[in-house]
Amino acid sequence: MTPVSRTEAHRVFADLYRKPRTPDHQQLVDEAILRSNDVFIRIDLIKKVDEDYQNKNKPKDKPKSYFEDKPERESSSRGDSQGKQEQKRQSELVSTESAKQKQAAQKKKAEPAKPATGGGGFFAALFGGGGGQTPIAKFAKDTGAIDVGLFGRNPSISPSAERLFRTLKEDTIIPTIQALRTAEQQGWRLWTPLVYNIIANFSKFFNAFVSLDSLFIDKISPDIFLDRSVKMQMFYIRYLHRDDAPKIILENLPKIVEMDEKLANKMSAVMTGINFGIGLESEKPKLSDVITAFYIVSKKKMVTWDEIIADLRVPAIQEHKFQASREIQKEVEITVAKISDDINVRVFKKEELQNLRTRYFTIDDKGKINFEFLNIVVDDFTKLHIPEAAKSQSVKNTYKSMPHRLLYLLLRDIQVVYINMIEGYIRLGDINQNQELLIVQPGLFRQEIETMNNLVRAIETFNKKFPSFQYTFQQFNSDYSKGTMDQIVNSILRVLIDSAEFFGQFANKLNIMVESHLMARASESKGKGTDKVAVTKEKVIEEIKLQQRFIPHYDKTLVTKERINGMTVEEIIIQLTKYLYNYAVIFKDPQTSQKLTAHRKIEQELIALNKEYERLTNSSFSSDGSGLAAAVAEDEPGDLGE
């Protein structure tokens, strides 16, 4: 007869299961029904086992237990690769299958409970012996998890213990499982490994717990329950190991539920399920007592919860590494690697900016830049180009106080004093013995030179057109920030802004030469120099890129009529770069000004990145990035973190 409804199917299943069989035959049936939770499939499995057993019609050696035979059967049906995977799973410290095998072995060793003897006579034997309660009877009275019956000789699981597994309804179970699954998938982005592992372990426990309700539709043997509930037991033991687990779950899980629009509307149902799960030790009978009761009924002797814990040997929840699936582990590793890269980039950038600040700027304790070097430039310019006013401080002050006049002076100074260093041959040596040498390939700075010449012509044209134009730095600062409708001011303002950008870009290009040179010198001083780098001491610079190479003839002195006479090539290039960066700040180049303050933002970013790194790895940042997450097999409590 084929059942047409699920209710009828459960009746058919019960009849088939209770059918008289030999022990070997019944063992095969017990193994078969563990393969599926669906009652219809279980009926087909039992019929198939009965048919196969009858067809063999010959004696059979004692069959292996389901858990001993499982690797062989899976190997033959699923292939060598899955067989190896099963063997690997069984080699872990405490796996689900090994726990079941241990239970089976210990069950075989268990001796039947001996009837109480000794003092007390007939009534003592009838009601418990020795004038007092047996341990099992006392356990039953204290916990309510066992019914001992009138004579206490055939203890069974109490109805209240069975009801514990059928309390929750689907409208609570489903949203709770969805919330816990979301926590497992996304919680690592928010929580420390300890918080994540506690909630992920609770998720696995809850899923395993609610899956057991189908076992209680019909009366089942305690042995089947214990086999089917090993995962649940192990996850629950791990949960109970942490006294702070309920608090951590209640403080953190609602936050991730609120972040999900679909789950946020189900918060009440989710919290009902969560509160039920974390309260399983608060009501009578407690879940730990119910589990203990199944062991007592199965072994027909007293068993304690501590003995169960010792037998299962469940490893504690990891505090420092994520106990997660391989997919989550991979995401954690990728995230940590990206954070590591971001930290390295910012550390390098911070050092670069710090070097720029200390090498090219003079900044006091209050963060104010010192521009006193301008006095040397202004004095030299007036001496060469306005000799009659060389001793007039008012003339010098006029140049320093008016941005358009100062700009003209600075550009002309570069043209006269420095431009030969990057445009053509220069004379190096001393007054008596020198030679003309190239530092930079001609044309490498052609664009900068052309831009500078155009700016000089633009200012000369403006000064000739408006010789009496008065414009202070205070006005320039205001017009730069707020803008102006004055056409004359706008025309010079545009030149000043373009000049600031020119100074900044020119300085950046020269700074690459300087950085490359200093890296080469540092390597040489540490004994790590190479012949390839050493030859650049005499080799003309043909391209501007960051690399280890020397500025050619950097230690030779310049022979010239200008004020830089007697300085080395290295000193002149660094000085020119310094002046250009300072000029860029004076005329408000935003990119250069940002470099002077960007270290503050980078420091805040580094604080945040290091904090995130420490959350994910439970360690301070180091360049190796080791020890990120512990990979675990899906739903295998014994393998988690081991």
mmCIF file of all heavy atoms in Angstrom, residues 555-574:
data_model
loop_
_atom_site.group_PDB
_atom_site.id
_atom_site.type_symbol
_atom_site.label_atom_id
_atom_site.label_comp_id
_atom_site.label_asym_id
_atom_site.label_seq_id
_atom_site.Cartn_x
_atom_site.Cartn_y
_atom_site.Cartn_z
ATOM 1 N N ASP A 555 78.691 65.295 -7.068
ATOM 2 C CA ASP A 555 79.628 65.794 -6.064
ATOM 3 C C ASP A 555 80.611 66.820 -6.611
ATOM 4 O O ASP A 555 81.503 67.289 -5.883
ATOM 5 C CB ASP A 555 80.392 64.630 -5.437
ATOM 6 C CG ASP A 555 81.066 63.745 -6.483
ATOM 7 O OD1 ASP A 555 80.795 63.926 -7.697
ATOM 8 O OD2 ASP A 555 81.859 62.866 -6.091
ATOM 9 N N LYS A 556 80.446 67.189 -7.882
ATOM 10 C CA LYS A 556 81.327 68.185 -8.479
ATOM 11 C C LYS A 556 80.732 69.577 -8.306
ATOM 12 O O LYS A 556 79.516 69.738 -8.266
ATOM 13 C CB LYS A 556 81.532 67.879 -9.964
ATOM 14 C CG LYS A 556 82.275 66.557 -10.197
ATOM 15 C CD LYS A 556 82.459 66.261 -11.670
ATOM 16 C CE LYS A 556 83.196 64.922 -11.871
ATOM 17 N NZ LYS A 556 83.331 64.582 -13.303
ATOM 18 N N THR A 557 81.624 70.577 -8.213
ATOM 19 C CA THR A 557 81.170 71.945 -7.967
ATOM 20 C C THR A 557 81.000 72.716 -9.271
ATOM 21 O O THR A 557 81.677 72.459 -10.270
ATOM 22 C CB THR A 557 82.153 72.685 -7.054
ATOM 23 O OG1 THR A 557 83.464 72.669 -7.656
ATOM 24 C CG2 THR A 557 82.215 72.038 -5.693
ATOM 25 N N LEU A 558 80.093 73.681 -9.228
ATOM 26 C CA LEU A 558 79.760 74.476 -10.404
ATOM 27 C C LEU A 558 80.652 75.721 -10.482
ATOM 28 O O LEU A 558 80.896 76.386 -9.467
ATOM 29 C CB LEU A 558 78.288 74.901 -10.338
ATOM 30 C CG LEU A 558 77.769 75.766 -11.484
ATOM 31 C CD1 LEU A 558 77.705 74.963 -12.782
ATOM 32 C CD2 LEU A 558 76.387 76.324 -11.149
ATOM 33 N N VAL A 559 81.091 76.005 -11.669
ATOM 34 C CA VAL A 559 81.862 77.226 -11.927
ATOM 35 C C VAL A 559 80.974 78.170 -12.732
ATOM 36 O O VAL A 559 80.596 77.870 -13.862
ATOM 37 C CB VAL A 559 83.165 76.924 -12.698
ATOM 38 C CG1 VAL A 559 83.937 78.225 -12.982
ATOM 39 C CG2 VAL A 559 84.035 75.942 -11.929
ATOM 40 N N THR A 560 80.585 79.297 -12.133
ATOM 41 C CA THR A 560 79.666 80.234 -12.778
ATOM 42 C C THR A 560 79.823 81.610 -12.144
ATOM 43 O O THR A 560 80.476 81.767 -11.099
ATOM 44 C CB THR A 560 78.212 79.759 -12.615
ATOM 45 O OG1 THR A 560 77.338 80.702 -13.245
ATOM 46 C CG2 THR A 560 77.839 79.638 -11.155
ATOM 47 N N LYS A 561 79.236 82.623 -12.790
ATOM 48 C CA LYS A 561 79.273 83.985 -12.248
ATOM 49 C C LYS A 561 78.099 84.247 -11.294
ATOM 50 O O LYS A 561 78.057 85.290 -10.642
ATOM 51 C CB LYS A 561 79.231 85.006 -13.392
ATOM 52 C CG LYS A 561 80.453 84.961 -14.301
ATOM 53 C CD LYS A 561 80.326 86.004 -15.410
ATOM 54 C CE LYS A 561 81.547 85.963 -16.324
ATOM 55 N NZ LYS A 561 81.433 86.974 -17.419
ATOM 56 N N GLU A 562 77.157 83.304 -11.252
ATOM 57 C CA GLU A 562 75.972 83.508 -10.426
ATOM 58 C C GLU A 562 76.244 83.126 -8.974
ATOM 59 O O GLU A 562 77.297 82.582 -8.641
ATOM 60 C CB GLU A 562 74.802 82.686 -10.986
ATOM 61 C CG GLU A 562 74.544 82.886 -12.475
ATOM 62 C CD GLU A 562 74.299 84.337 -12.851
ATOM 63 O OE1 GLU A 562 73.811 85.098 -11.986
ATOM 64 O OE2 GLU A 562 74.604 84.717 -13.994
ATOM 65 N N ARG A 563 75.273 83.370 -8.103
ATOM 66 C CA ARG A 563 75.460 83.163 -6.668
ATOM 67 C C ARG A 563 75.631 81.696 -6.277
ATOM 68 O O ARG A 563 76.043 81.395 -5.150
ATOM 69 C CB ARG A 563 74.288 83.758 -5.883
ATOM 70 C CG ARG A 563 72.950 83.066 -6.065
ATOM 71 C CD ARG A 563 71.891 83.639 -5.130
ATOM 72 N NE ARG A 563 70.610 82.964 -5.238
ATOM 73 C CZ ARG A 563 69.684 83.272 -6.136
ATOM 74 N NH1 ARG A 563 69.890 84.264 -6.991
ATOM 75 N NH2 ARG A 563 68.543 82.589 -6.180
ATOM 76 N N ILE A 564 75.261 80.768 -7.171
ATOM 77 C CA ILE A 564 75.404 79.341 -6.856
ATOM 78 C C ILE A 564 76.801 78.824 -7.199
ATOM 79 O O ILE A 564 77.048 77.621 -7.140
ATOM 80 C CB ILE A 564 74.334 78.510 -7.598
ATOM 81 C CG1 ILE A 564 74.409 78.739 -9.116
ATOM 82 C CG2 ILE A 564 72.944 78.823 -7.070
ATOM 83 C CD1 ILE A 564 73.448 77.878 -9.915
ATOM 84 N N ASN A 565 77.716 79.714 -7.543
ATOM 85 C CA ASN A 565 79.095 79.319 -7.831
ATOM 86 C C ASN A 565 79.693 78.618 -6.613
ATOM 87 O O ASN A 565 79.550 79.071 -5.467
ATOM 88 C CB ASN A 565 79.936 80.552 -8.176
ATOM 89 C CG ASN A 565 81.390 80.189 -8.441
ATOM 90 O OD1 ASN A 565 81.695 79.419 -9.336
ATOM 91 N ND2 ASN A 565 82.295 80.747 -7.637
ATOM 92 N N GLY A 566 80.363 77.475 -6.849
ATOM 93 C CA GLY A 566 81.013 76.735 -5.780
ATOM 94 C C GLY A 566 80.128 75.708 -5.101
ATOM 95 O O GLY A 566 80.610 74.917 -4.284
ATOM 96 N N MET A 567 78.836 75.700 -5.410
ATOM 97 C CA MET A 567 77.946 74.674 -4.857
ATOM 98 C C MET A 567 78.046 73.402 -5.695
ATOM 99 O O MET A 567 78.336 73.454 -6.900
ATOM 100 C CB MET A 567 76.497 75.167 -4.845
ATOM 101 C CG MET A 567 76.250 76.320 -3.887
ATOM 102 S SD MET A 567 74.553 76.983 -4.006
ATOM 103 C CE MET A 567 73.594 75.561 -3.478
ATOM 104 N N THR A 568 77.797 72.244 -5.071
ATOM 105 C CA THR A 568 77.815 70.998 -5.839
ATOM 106 C C THR A 568 76.529 70.863 -6.649
ATOM 107 O O THR A 568 75.522 71.522 -6.363
ATOM 108 C CB THR A 568 77.941 69.776 -4.915
ATOM 109 O OG1 THR A 568 76.767 69.699 -4.101
ATOM 110 C CG2 THR A 568 79.186 69.878 -4.041
ATOM 111 N N VAL A 569 76.584 69.993 -7.646
ATOM 112 C CA VAL A 569 75.404 69.750 -8.484
ATOM 113 C C VAL A 569 74.241 69.267 -7.624
ATOM 114 O O VAL A 569 73.095 69.697 -7.799
ATOM 115 C CB VAL A 569 75.736 68.719 -9.582
ATOM 116 C CG1 VAL A 569 74.467 68.300 -10.331
ATOM 117 C CG2 VAL A 569 76.762 69.278 -10.552
ATOM 118 N N GLU A 570 74.520 68.362 -6.682
ATOM 119 C CA GLU A 570 73.480 67.848 -5.787
ATOM 120 C C GLU A 570 72.836 68.979 -4.996
ATOM 121 O O GLU A 570 71.606 69.067 -4.896
ATOM 122 C CB GLU A 570 74.083 66.814 -4.837
ATOM 123 C CG GLU A 570 73.086 66.212 -3.854
ATOM 124 C CD GLU A 570 73.761 65.289 -2.862
ATOM 125 O OE1 GLU A 570 74.601 65.794 -2.079
ATOM 126 O OE2 GLU A 570 73.470 64.087 -2.870
ATOM 127 N N GLU A 571 73.644 69.865 -4.422
ATOM 128 C CA GLU A 571 73.127 70.973 -3.624
ATOM 129 C C GLU A 571 72.268 71.912 -4.454
ATOM 130 O O GLU A 571 71.218 72.385 -3.988
ATOM 131 C CB GLU A 571 74.288 71.750 -2.989
ATOM 132 C CG GLU A 571 75.040 70.967 -1.935
ATOM 133 C CD GLU A 571 76.319 71.667 -1.495
ATOM 134 O OE1 GLU A 571 76.802 72.553 -2.243
ATOM 135 O OE2 GLU A 571 76.839 71.327 -0.417
ATOM 136 N N ILE A 572 72.652 72.164 -5.687
ATOM 137 C CA ILE A 572 71.915 73.100 -6.541
ATOM 138 C C ILE A 572 70.551 72.530 -6.936
ATOM 139 O O ILE A 572 69.532 73.228 -6.879
ATOM 140 C CB ILE A 572 72.743 73.447 -7.803
ATOM 141 C CG1 ILE A 572 74.025 74.183 -7.400
ATOM 142 C CG2 ILE A 572 71.919 74.296 -8.778
ATOM 143 C CD1 ILE A 572 75.021 74.327 -8.534
ATOM 144 N N ILE A 573 70.531 71.251 -7.324
ATOM 145 C CA ILE A 573 69.264 70.623 -7.724
ATOM 146 C C ILE A 573 68.293 70.600 -6.550
ATOM 147 O O ILE A 573 67.100 70.897 -6.689
ATOM 148 C CB ILE A 573 69.500 69.195 -8.256
ATOM 149 C CG1 ILE A 573 70.338 69.221 -9.535
ATOM 150 C CG2 ILE A 573 68.158 68.494 -8.517
ATOM 151 C CD1 ILE A 573 69.690 69.949 -10.697
ATOM 152 N N ILE A 574 68.777 70.244 -5.358
ATOM 153 C CA ILE A 574 67.906 70.217 -4.171
ATOM 154 C C ILE A 574 67.430 71.625 -3.828
ATOM 155 O O ILE A 574 66.260 71.825 -3.467
ATOM 156 C CB ILE A 574 68.651 69.576 -2.975
ATOM 157 C CG1 ILE A 574 68.864 68.080 -3.229
ATOM 158 C CG2 ILE A 574 67.860 69.778 -1.682
ATOM 159 C CD1 ILE A 574 69.662 67.367 -2.155
#
